[in-house]
Amino acid sequence: MNITTNSVVTFHYALSDNDGKLLDSSHGQDPFTYIQGASMIVPGLEEQMEGKRVGDTFKAVIDPAKGYGDFDSQLLQQVPLEKFGEQKVEAGMQFQGGEHGVFTVKEVADGKVLLDGNHPLAGITLNFNVEIIEVREATSEELSHGHVHGPGGHHH
Ligand code: ZN
């Protein structure tokens, strides 16, 4: 069957930036499983999945706007280091920022911490190499739970 809304899709992927640097990959681990149309993957990839079938391999190039968003400099903020108290703070660490999601520490200097609230892949053109492993219809139970059951999904 071809991938359409409410298909459960299992796929392998390799994700690179425009310079060919590998950012993420499912190879060597379990493939990724999601429900088409449920916004579980970035919008640009979901669009290009539509109509594909088992065995298809393809490359999807996705602009930031349909990936993890454009980089927003408004989401950069400086916080005094003492706000972190005894906690060790260094570049690359991530903090849960309440309603504002996840912040990444960009820099610690002169008693100040530069926090970045952008997704780590914001502003990056995504180059996916995709291989479709399995396509099936979601069960009504999966659709009401909003997630996949079985391999690659929830077990409960
Ligand atoms: Zn469930």
Side-chain angles (χ1 to χ4, degrees):
M1 63 179 278
N2 297 69
I3 295 172
T4 186
T5 301
N6 296 341
S7 296
V8 172
V9 181
T10 301
F11 69 102
H12 268 301
Y13 67 93
L15 170 61
S16 314
D17 64 16
N18 276 348
D19 299 325
K21 184 185 162 211
L22 189 66
L23 302 171
D24 192 14
S25 169
S26 66
H27 295 285
Q29 7 178 355
D30 289 336
F32 191 83
T33 298
Y34 78 100
I35 301 173
Q36 177 79 355
S39 300
M40 296 167 120
I41 59 175
V42 295
L45 185 57
E46 192 167 68
E47 267 175 27
Q48 298 203 34
M49 286 289 199
E50 189 74 22
K52 300 293 194 298
R53 53 202 306 166
V54 172
D56 280 355
T57 58
F58 63 98
K59 184 170 181 183
V61 179
I62 297 162
D63 289 337
K66 286 191 171 179
Y68 291 99
D70 290 311
F71 188 85
D72 181 358
S73 57
Q74 304 271 37
L75 295 176
L76 291 172
Q77 55 171 285
Q78 259 189 348
V79 178
L81 182 58
E82 64 246 32
K83 283 227 176 190
F84 291 87
E86 298 290 289
Q87 195 165 11
K88 190 171 155 64
V89 182
E90 50 190 28
M93 288 178 71
Q94 293 193 318
F95 292 97
Q96 202 69 39
E99 59 187 297
H100 302 295
V102 175
F103 288 90
T104 305
V105 176
K106 299 300 279 185
E107 191 180 77
V108 184
D110 303 327
K112 294 195 181 88
V113 179
L114 181 62
L115 293 176
D116 180 2
N118 287 285
H119 187 283
L121 297 179
I124 291 175
T125 299
L126 307 172
N127 294 265
F128 279 100
N129 278 298
V130 175
E131 179 185 1
I132 309 293
I133 306 295
E134 193 191 339
V135 181
R136 64 171 171 84
E137 272 179 64
T139 64
S140 54
E141 197 185 40
E142 286 173 320
L143 293 177
S144 72
H145 287 198
H147 57 228
V148 176
H149 292 161
H154 285 240
H155 300 270
H156 64 118

